[in-house]
Amino acid sequence: MRRRRAGEASELDAMAVVCLLPSLLYVVIMFVYPFLHGIYLSLRPAKQSGLSLANYVAFFTDEWQYRTVWITFGIAVPNTVVVVAVALLLAYGMRRGIWLERTITTILVLPISLGVILLAEGILGFYGGRGWFNQILLAAGLLQEPLTLTHNYTGVMLSLFMQQFPFCFLMLLGYISGIDPSLESSARTLGAGPWIVFSRVMLPLIAPGLAIAFALVFVLSFGVFPSAILLGQPAGATRTIAIAAYQQAFEHYDMSYASAIAVVMGLFQLAGLVVIVLFRRRLVMAPTMGVGKR
Amino acid sequence: MSQSLHSLRFRLTKRFGAKTVLRDFALEVRGRQFVTFLGPSGCGKSTALNIIAGLIPQSDGEVWVDEERIDHLPPEKRGFGMVFQNYALFPHLTVFGNIAFGLQLQHQSPPEIREAVRAMLDLVQLPGLEGRYPSQLSGGQQQRVAIARALVLHPRLLLMDEPLSNLDAKLRIEMRAEIKRIHARLGLTSVYVTHDQTEALSLSDWVVVMRDGVVIQAGPPSEIHDRPQSLFVADFMGFRNFFPVEVTAVDADGVEGVGQGMLVRGRARHPLPTGAAAVAAIRPDDVELGPEGGGANRFRGRVEIVEYLGRENEAVLTLEAGPKVWLRTPRSLAADESVTVTFPAEKVIFLPREPAA
């Protein structure tokens, strides 16, 4: 180790700041400024002078607007739960490797490489009224008339699932297969059946990864836009908050109101993350708190 | 379950794809015995242990405890304790949580659990560490906790899979004594897996030397050490000098052989007829220096390399006859020095030559 001369530490700090500068600049220009500007814009309604909360009041008093919050939650929450649950189930099942693992993983992950639009086209074709899915079920006599699976809530859910499942699955698989297999073995020899192994050993260890998965999928789902338009009913059942903001910005040219809606959306996403973090704490604490409580 | 078993019997075959890692590996372990599976990596010893624990299914065979066949039972129903090479402590639980884990699954009352955990921590000499997390403990402490966690359930059989191989040399010797003490104190029945001959010899009542999924030799440690029956076991037990010879005479005192211009006398475990292809073997520690002279078991050579080992020196000689000899001696030797070595006939063993070795 080299001995440090006096003043070297501060030189080092100066160097660090210089090295950080480009990335700091990038963050300020690309994120902090637009974000703050958006908030400022949202507080300057078009029809008034000076700062005011009029846009927010307008949003939360107009049923057509504020119902988008519930619609978006109605899509984002179930989608997040389903995506994470299915990904967890599959990744947990595959944690020790299975037959044809690479092939299966490739098939599961393939949708990532297709864009949202191509995916939407595919879903429209396959699950549509005259698509294979319905044709097969009709031919098999399982249905009397075709199911409506597109241009509604179900269509949006299908599309979101296919977009987000691969990411979530890969992340959880990486996380779970990183856990030392001998932990499971030792729990078994200590008398734990498969369910206890999962709930008291594996789940607490997976919890941090699970929380990240929940957070990512939730935030992505909450901002749902193309899927809601292409596969849903953008004027009705799947008019999400992102669509509301888009309409204010590019149909009514009211950037101020659109910014306010975007800020509201951001706040709800933040609230969702807070809930996830709190829940994660509970998940990790649970097994230790259970000591001697039975 | 607190009762130690009277006997564990098994016969196991395990195939992974086309590879057979255990071939009719059969053994009976009696109650309170300390049995070690000894062998190089890949010999199937860990696989056998995992099958006994129920963590890996066997391809063929049976496992019996006393009068009960148990090979269909999942690991949690077998009542065996297991200690792993990497400790396998639950990182999200404290020392208390780890040791109490099995007791909580048995729905014991909190005061009982607290008392049992405390007693176990005393036994493994870690009192008062209940509140620590595994990451706050040293390797040796973690392995003690792992042992306590397995023992607190009073398993009828304790399985240990190379429990000392992640520890440094000093700690390994300390923990070896610790395991021996606990085994004796609690009257456990233990099956231990290792590739370290010293561990196997010092801990066990019975050593099973394995290679390629079969038993090569089994017996008490002294027998394995003094009377290896094959080159493989001899090599594993520290015989370092091997001389291919042809048996020239067999009499009441032993065997005589000639090879590479050397006349060697020794003992044979196997009936070796005159003319048989054999290998004469001796440990470096048993090779003696001097006196001058000729005849059987006495050879002149030149010192090639000397390594200082503290209490003694290890030297490699090249004999005038050609072969190299490893020897250990407290005497200081210099490179290029000419010396005479003697192989005490009672320390030389003759083994049949085998193609694989």
Side-chain angles (χ1 to χ4, degrees):
Chain A
M1 276 295 220
R2 232 156 20 103
R3 239 190 307 160
R4 284 195 170 183
R5 279 171 289 123
E8 197 178 352
S10 55
E11 276 169 39
L12 243 134
D13 288 350
M15 266 308 283
V17 170
V18 171
C19 291
L20 262 177
L21 221 53
S23 46
L24 272 176
L25 214 63
Y26 182 84
V27 169
V28 168
I29 293 172
M30 300 303 288
F31 176 70
V32 178
Y33 171 73
F35 182 67
L36 293 176
H37 185 71
I39 293 176
Y40 172 72
L41 211 59
S42 74
L43 297 169
R44 300 266 331 248
K47 300 176 195 93
Q48 285 172 288
S49 58
L51 296 179
S52 134
L53 288 172
N55 283 328
Y56 294 95
V57 174
F59 182 85
F60 283 108
T61 48
D62 182 351
E63 207 251 332
W64 175 241
Q65 298 292 21
Y66 72 69
R67 67 187 283 252
T68 60
V69 172
W70 307 127
I71 287 173
T72 313
F73 268 114
I75 291 171
V77 172
N79 177 65
T80 307
V81 171
V82 170
V83 166
V84 176
V86 175
L88 176 66
L89 213 70
L90 244 104
Y92 193 74
M94 289 174 71
R95 70 194 181 285
R96 300 287 163 260
I98 56 164
W99 188 60
L100 286 183
E101 180 168 350
R102 285 182 90 132
T103 317
I104 292 171
T105 309
T106 310
I107 292 171
L108 289 175
V109 168
L110 204 62
I112 294 184
S113 61
L114 313 168
V116 181
I117 309 295
L118 192 60
L119 199 67
E121 292 291 335
I123 292 171
L124 283 175
F126 186 77
Y127 290 102
R130 307 189 57 80
W132 283 21
F133 185 76
N134 272 313
Q135 295 300 326
I136 291 169
L137 290 186
L138 284 170
L142 292 169
L143 291 179
Q144 301 308 314
E145 51 192 274
L147 292 169
T148 313
L149 298 171
T150 52
H151 297 300
N152 61 9
Y153 181 79
T154 320
V156 180
M157 295 299 274
L158 279 172
S159 160
L160 283 181
F161 181 85
M162 286 177 199
Q163 286 169 56
Q164 294 166 353
F165 173 79
F167 286 106
C168 190
F169 166 73
L170 277 188
M171 210 194 85
L172 287 178
L173 185 64
Y175 211 90
I176 295 173
S177 33
I179 294 174
D180 179 2
S182 67
L183 293 180
E184 191 176 338
S185 299
S186 65
R188 294 296 295 270
T189 60
L190 292 168
W195 169 247
I196 301 279
V197 169
F198 175 75
S199 61
R200 297 204 34 192
V201 177
M202 297 299 273
L203 195 56
L205 295 175
I206 302 168
L210 213 53
I212 296 169
F214 264 111
L216 281 177
V217 177
F218 174 75
V219 167
L220 283 175
S221 313
F222 205 83
V224 54
F225 181 67
S227 303
I229 290 183
L230 294 169
L231 287 154
Q233 280 174 284
T238 71
R239 182 170 178 269
T240 62
I241 193 163
I243 295 178
Y246 169 82
Q247 286 174 337
Q248 285 309 319
F250 300 108
E251 287 174 15
H252 301 286
Y253 299 106
D254 187 343
M255 279 298 170
S256 175
Y257 197 178
S259 299
I261 297 176
V263 169
V264 168
M265 182 171 136
L267 287 176
F268 279 116
Q269 285 173 323
L270 203 65
L273 294 186
V274 169
V275 169
I276 289 166
V277 169
L278 292 178
F279 194 73
R280 192 218 125 158
R281 289 221 183 118
R282 257 190 60 86
L283 207 60
V284 178
M285 298 297 271
T288 12
M289 290 189 340
V291 170
K293 261 176 113 182
R294 294 156 179 276
Chain B
M1 219 178 270
S2 60
Q3 202 64 41
S4 188
L5 46 74
H6 295 291
S7 100
L8 167 80
R9 279 164 294 135
F10 57 81
R11 182 184 59 77
L12 302 170
T13 294
K14 178 68 182 175
R15 287 178 290 268
F16 287 116
K19 194 167 180 282
T20 303
V21 292
L22 286 175
R23 213 183 305 264
D24 272 329
F25 174 51
L27 191 71
E28 173 164 4
V29 178
R30 277 175 287 111
R32 307 203 164 198
Q33 249 187 344
F34 197 117
V35 173
T36 298
F37 301 165
L38 174 66
S41 63
C43 74
K45 55 191 192 300
S46 280
T47 308
L49 197 76
N50 278 287
I51 293 174
I52 295 170
L55 296 167
I56 302 180
Q58 72 274 26
S59 308
D60 189 22
E62 302 168 5
V63 183
W64 290 77
V65 168
D66 300 331
E67 298 313 312
E68 185 194 3
R69 185 173 170 178
I70 59 146
D71 49 70
H72 61 282
L73 292 176
E76 64 268 25
K77 298 267 163 60
R78 298 195 181 191
F80 298 166
M82 187 149 172
V83 177
F84 297 81
Q85 180 176 357
N86 61 356
Y87 326 131
L89 296 177
F90 306 129
H92 61 296
L93 299 180
T94 58
V95 167
F96 180 88
N98 268 279
I99 301 177
F101 186 85
L103 298 171
Q104 287 163 359
L105 295 182
Q106 295 175 357
H107 304 300
Q108 296 199 12
S109 73
E112 275 177 314
I113 293 177
R114 268 196 302 278
E115 179 50 33
V117 171
R118 200 194 53 70
M120 269 302 140
L121 282 175
D122 283 347
L123 179 76
V124 298
Q125 301 180 336
L126 290 177
L129 290 191
E130 281 94 336
R132 298 274 191 92
Y133 280 89
S135 57
Q136 298 169 308
L137 302 177
S138 70
Q141 288 174 324
Q142 288 187 48
Q143 197 54 292
R144 282 168 199 262
V145 173
I147 291 170
R149 182 178 66 173
L151 290 181
V152 78
L153 299 175
H154 303 294
R156 48 185 180 168
L157 176 67
L158 182 63
L159 306 169
M160 288 176 270
D161 191 0
E162 308 214 24
L164 305 184
S165 55
N166 280 2
L167 303 177
D168 62 57
K170 183 169 170 288
L171 209 51
R172 206 177 304 160
I173 295 171
E174 209 176 295
M175 283 301 292
R176 204 167 73 198
E178 192 75 12
I179 288 174
K180 187 150 192 162
R181 179 179 69 85
I182 292 170
H183 174 85
R185 160 110 182 260
L186 300 184
L188 296 168
T189 308
S190 306
V191 177
Y192 189 98
V193 161
T194 184
H195 60 260
D196 183 312
Q197 51 128 336
T198 325
E199 260 171 46
L201 296 178
S202 64
L203 285 170
S204 329
D205 305 312
W206 195 261
V207 178
V208 179
V209 185
M210 298 174 67
R211 183 177 65 172
D212 298 335
V214 293
V215 178
I216 300 289
Q217 188 176 351
S222 60
E223 191 183 310
I224 301 284
H225 181 265
D226 297 338
R227 289 188 289 280
Q229 288 177 2
S230 60
L231 280 178
F232 175 76
V233 178
D235 190 27
F236 225 82
M237 285 296 136
F239 284 85
R240 189 99 182 260
N241 302 304
F242 298 99
F243 309 101
V245 293
E246 189 179 307
V247 177
T248 49
V250 183
D251 54 42
D253 293 340
V255 190
E256 199 171 87
V258 173
Q260 296 180 299
M262 299 166 68
L263 177 62
V264 189
R265 284 194 64 82
R267 297 169 302 128
R269 287 285 291 164
H270 300 263
L272 287 166
T274 307
V279 173
I282 185 165
R283 287 193 171 86
D285 313 68
D286 293 332
V287 177
E288 292 173 3
L289 282 170
E292 295 292 323
N297 289 12
R298 192 159 295 159
F299 312 101
R300 286 193 60 77
R302 203 167 48 79
V303 177
E304 295 262 308
I305 303 164
V306 183
E307 274 186 310
Y308 178 63
L309 299 180
R311 286 189 51 199
E312 55 190 357
N313 294 299
E314 183 166 282
V316 185
L317 314 184
T318 306
L319 300 185
E320 281 172 358
K324 288 189 189 312
V325 170
W326 274 262
L327 75 94
R328 285 189 173 196
T329 173
R331 228 186 79 185
S332 60
L333 289 170
D336 276 341
E337 195 180 334
S338 272
V339 291
T340 303
V341 289
T342 304
F343 300 167
E346 69 277 11
K347 298 289 172 59
V348 177
I349 56 168
F350 275 68
L351 297 162
R353 216 177 294 173
E354 48 192 273

CSV table of all heavy atoms in Angstrom, one decimal, chain B residues 151-172:
chain,number,residue,atom,x,y,z
B,151,LEU,N,-27.6,-32.2,16.2
B,151,LEU,CA,-27.6,-33.0,17.4
B,151,LEU,C,-28.8,-32.7,18.3
B,151,LEU,O,-29.2,-33.6,19.0
B,151,LEU,CB,-26.3,-32.9,18.1
B,151,LEU,CG,-25.1,-33.5,17.5
B,151,LEU,CD1,-23.9,-33.3,18.3
B,151,LEU,CD2,-25.3,-35.0,17.2
B,152,VAL,N,-29.3,-31.5,18.2
B,152,VAL,CA,-30.4,-31.1,19.1
B,152,VAL,C,-31.6,-32.0,18.9
B,152,VAL,O,-32.4,-32.1,19.8
B,152,VAL,CB,-30.7,-29.6,19.0
B,152,VAL,CG1,-31.5,-29.3,17.8
B,152,VAL,CG2,-31.3,-29.0,20.2
B,153,LEU,N,-31.8,-32.6,17.8
B,153,LEU,CA,-32.9,-33.4,17.5
B,153,LEU,C,-32.7,-34.9,17.9
B,153,LEU,O,-33.5,-35.7,17.7
B,153,LEU,CB,-33.3,-33.4,16.0
B,153,LEU,CG,-33.6,-32.0,15.5
B,153,LEU,CD1,-33.8,-32.0,14.0
B,153,LEU,CD2,-34.9,-31.4,16.1
B,154,HIS,N,-31.6,-35.1,18.6
B,154,HIS,CA,-31.2,-36.5,19.0
B,154,HIS,C,-31.4,-37.5,17.8
B,154,HIS,O,-32.1,-38.4,17.9
B,154,HIS,CB,-32.0,-36.9,20.2
B,154,HIS,CG,-31.9,-36.0,21.3
B,154,HIS,ND1,-30.7,-35.9,22.0
B,154,HIS,CD2,-32.7,-35.2,21.9
B,154,HIS,CE1,-30.9,-35.0,23.0
B,154,HIS,NE2,-32.1,-34.5,22.9
B,155,PRO,N,-30.7,-37.3,16.7
B,155,PRO,CA,-30.8,-38.1,15.6
B,155,PRO,C,-30.3,-39.6,15.9
B,155,PRO,O,-29.4,-39.7,16.7
B,155,PRO,CB,-30.0,-37.5,14.5
B,155,PRO,CG,-28.9,-36.8,15.2
B,155,PRO,CD,-29.6,-36.3,16.5
B,156,ARG,N,-31.0,-40.6,15.3
B,156,ARG,CA,-30.5,-41.9,15.5
B,156,ARG,C,-29.3,-42.2,14.7
B,156,ARG,O,-28.7,-43.3,14.9
B,156,ARG,CB,-31.7,-42.9,15.2
B,156,ARG,CG,-32.3,-42.7,13.9
B,156,ARG,CD,-33.5,-43.7,13.8
B,156,ARG,NE,-34.2,-43.5,12.5
B,156,ARG,CZ,-35.1,-44.3,12.0
B,156,ARG,NH1,-35.4,-45.4,12.7
B,156,ARG,NH2,-35.7,-44.1,10.9
B,157,LEU,N,-29.0,-41.4,13.8
B,157,LEU,CA,-27.8,-41.5,13.0
B,157,LEU,C,-27.3,-40.1,12.6
B,157,LEU,O,-28.1,-39.3,12.2
B,157,LEU,CB,-28.1,-42.4,11.7
B,157,LEU,CG,-27.0,-42.6,10.7
B,157,LEU,CD1,-25.9,-43.5,11.3
B,157,LEU,CD2,-27.5,-43.2,9.4
B,158,LEU,N,-26.0,-39.9,12.7
B,158,LEU,CA,-25.4,-38.6,12.3
B,158,LEU,C,-24.6,-38.8,11.1
B,158,LEU,O,-23.6,-39.6,11.0
B,158,LEU,CB,-24.6,-38.0,13.4
B,158,LEU,CG,-24.0,-36.6,13.1
B,158,LEU,CD1,-25.1,-35.6,12.9
B,158,LEU,CD2,-23.0,-36.2,14.3
B,159,LEU,N,-24.9,-38.1,10.0
B,159,LEU,CA,-24.2,-38.1,8.7
B,159,LEU,C,-23.4,-36.9,8.6
B,159,LEU,O,-23.9,-35.8,8.8
B,159,LEU,CB,-25.2,-38.3,7.6
B,159,LEU,CG,-26.2,-39.4,7.7
B,159,LEU,CD1,-27.3,-39.3,6.6
B,159,LEU,CD2,-25.5,-40.8,7.6
B,160,MET,N,-22.1,-37.1,8.2
B,160,MET,CA,-21.2,-35.9,8.1
B,160,MET,C,-20.5,-35.9,6.7
B,160,MET,O,-19.8,-36.9,6.4
B,160,MET,CB,-20.2,-35.8,9.2
B,160,MET,CG,-20.9,-35.4,10.6
B,160,MET,SD,-19.7,-35.5,11.9
B,160,MET,CE,-19.9,-37.2,12.5
B,161,ASP,N,-20.7,-34.9,5.9
B,161,ASP,CA,-20.2,-34.9,4.6
B,161,ASP,C,-19.0,-33.9,4.5
B,161,ASP,O,-19.2,-32.7,4.4
B,161,ASP,CB,-21.3,-34.4,3.6
B,161,ASP,CG,-20.9,-34.6,2.2
B,161,ASP,OD1,-19.7,-35.1,1.9
B,161,ASP,OD2,-21.6,-34.3,1.3
B,162,GLU,N,-17.8,-34.4,4.7
B,162,GLU,CA,-16.6,-33.6,4.7
B,162,GLU,C,-16.7,-32.4,5.5
B,162,GLU,O,-16.5,-31.3,5.0
B,162,GLU,CB,-16.2,-33.2,3.3
B,162,GLU,CG,-16.1,-34.4,2.3
B,162,GLU,CD,-15.0,-34.3,1.3
B,162,GLU,OE1,-14.1,-33.6,1.5
B,162,GLU,OE2,-15.1,-35.0,0.2
B,163,PRO,N,-17.1,-32.5,6.8
B,163,PRO,CA,-17.4,-31.3,7.6
B,163,PRO,C,-16.2,-30.4,7.9
B,163,PRO,O,-16.4,-29.3,8.2
B,163,PRO,CB,-18.0,-31.9,8.9
B,163,PRO,CG,-17.4,-33.2,9.0
B,163,PRO,CD,-17.2,-33.7,7.6
B,164,LEU,N,-15.0,-30.9,7.7
B,164,LEU,CA,-13.8,-30.2,8.1
B,164,LEU,C,-13.0,-29.6,6.9
B,164,LEU,O,-12.1,-28.9,7.1
B,164,LEU,CB,-12.9,-31.0,9.0
B,164,LEU,CG,-13.5,-31.7,10.2
B,164,LEU,CD1,-12.5,-32.4,11.0
B,164,LEU,CD2,-14.2,-30.6,11.1
B,165,SER,N,-13.4,-29.9,5.7
B,165,SER,CA,-12.6,-29.6,4.6
B,165,SER,C,-12.5,-28.1,4.3
B,165,SER,O,-11.7,-27.7,3.5
B,165,SER,CB,-12.9,-30.4,3.4
B,165,SER,OG,-14.3,-30.3,3.1
B,166,ASN,N,-13.5,-27.3,4.8
B,166,ASN,CA,-13.4,-25.9,4.6
B,166,ASN,C,-12.7,-25.1,5.6
B,166,ASN,O,-12.6,-23.9,5.6
B,166,ASN,CB,-14.8,-25.3,4.4
B,166,ASN,CG,-15.4,-25.5,3.1
B,166,ASN,OD1,-14.8,-26.1,2.2
B,166,ASN,ND2,-16.6,-25.0,2.9
B,167,LEU,N,-12.1,-25.9,6.6
B,167,LEU,CA,-11.4,-25.2,7.7
B,167,LEU,C,-9.9,-25.2,7.5
B,167,LEU,O,-9.4,-26.1,6.8
B,167,LEU,CB,-11.8,-25.9,9.0
B,167,LEU,CG,-13.3,-26.0,9.4
B,167,LEU,CD1,-13.5,-26.8,10.6
B,167,LEU,CD2,-13.9,-24.6,9.5
B,168,ASP,N,-9.2,-24.3,8.2
B,168,ASP,CA,-7.8,-24.3,8.0
B,168,ASP,C,-7.2,-25.4,8.9
B,168,ASP,O,-7.8,-26.0,9.7
B,168,ASP,CB,-7.2,-22.9,8.3
B,168,ASP,CG,-7.4,-22.5,9.7
B,168,ASP,OD1,-7.0,-23.2,10.7
B,168,ASP,OD2,-8.0,-21.4,10.0
B,169,ALA,N,-5.9,-25.7,8.6
B,169,ALA,CA,-5.3,-26.9,9.2
B,169,ALA,C,-5.4,-27.0,10.7
B,169,ALA,O,-5.8,-28.0,11.3
B,169,ALA,CB,-3.8,-26.9,8.8
B,170,LYS,N,-5.2,-25.9,11.4
B,170,LYS,CA,-5.1,-25.9,12.8
B,170,LYS,C,-6.6,-26.2,13.4
B,170,LYS,O,-6.8,-27.0,14.3
B,170,LYS,CB,-4.6,-24.5,13.3
B,170,LYS,CG,-4.5,-24.4,14.8
B,170,LYS,CD,-3.8,-23.1,15.2
B,170,LYS,CE,-3.8,-22.8,16.7
B,170,LYS,NZ,-5.1,-22.4,17.1
B,171,LEU,N,-7.5,-25.5,12.8
B,171,LEU,CA,-8.9,-25.6,13.2
B,171,LEU,C,-9.4,-27.0,12.9
B,171,LEU,O,-10.2,-27.6,13.7
B,171,LEU,CB,-9.7,-24.6,12.5
B,171,LEU,CG,-11.0,-24.1,13.2
B,171,LEU,CD1,-10.6,-23.6,14.6
B,171,LEU,CD2,-11.6,-22.9,12.4
B,172,ARG,N,-8.9,-27.6,11.8
B,172,ARG,CA,-9.4,-28.9,11.4
B,172,ARG,C,-9.0,-29.9,12.5
B,172,ARG,O,-9.8,-30.8,12.9
B,172,ARG,CB,-8.7,-29.3,10.1
B,172,ARG,CG,-9.5,-30.3,9.3
B,172,ARG,CD,-8.9,-30.5,8.0
B,172,ARG,NE,-8.7,-29.3,7.2
B,172,ARG,CZ,-7.8,-29.2,6.2
B,172,ARG,NH1,-7.0,-30.3,5.9
B,172,ARG,NH2,-7.6,-28.1,5.6
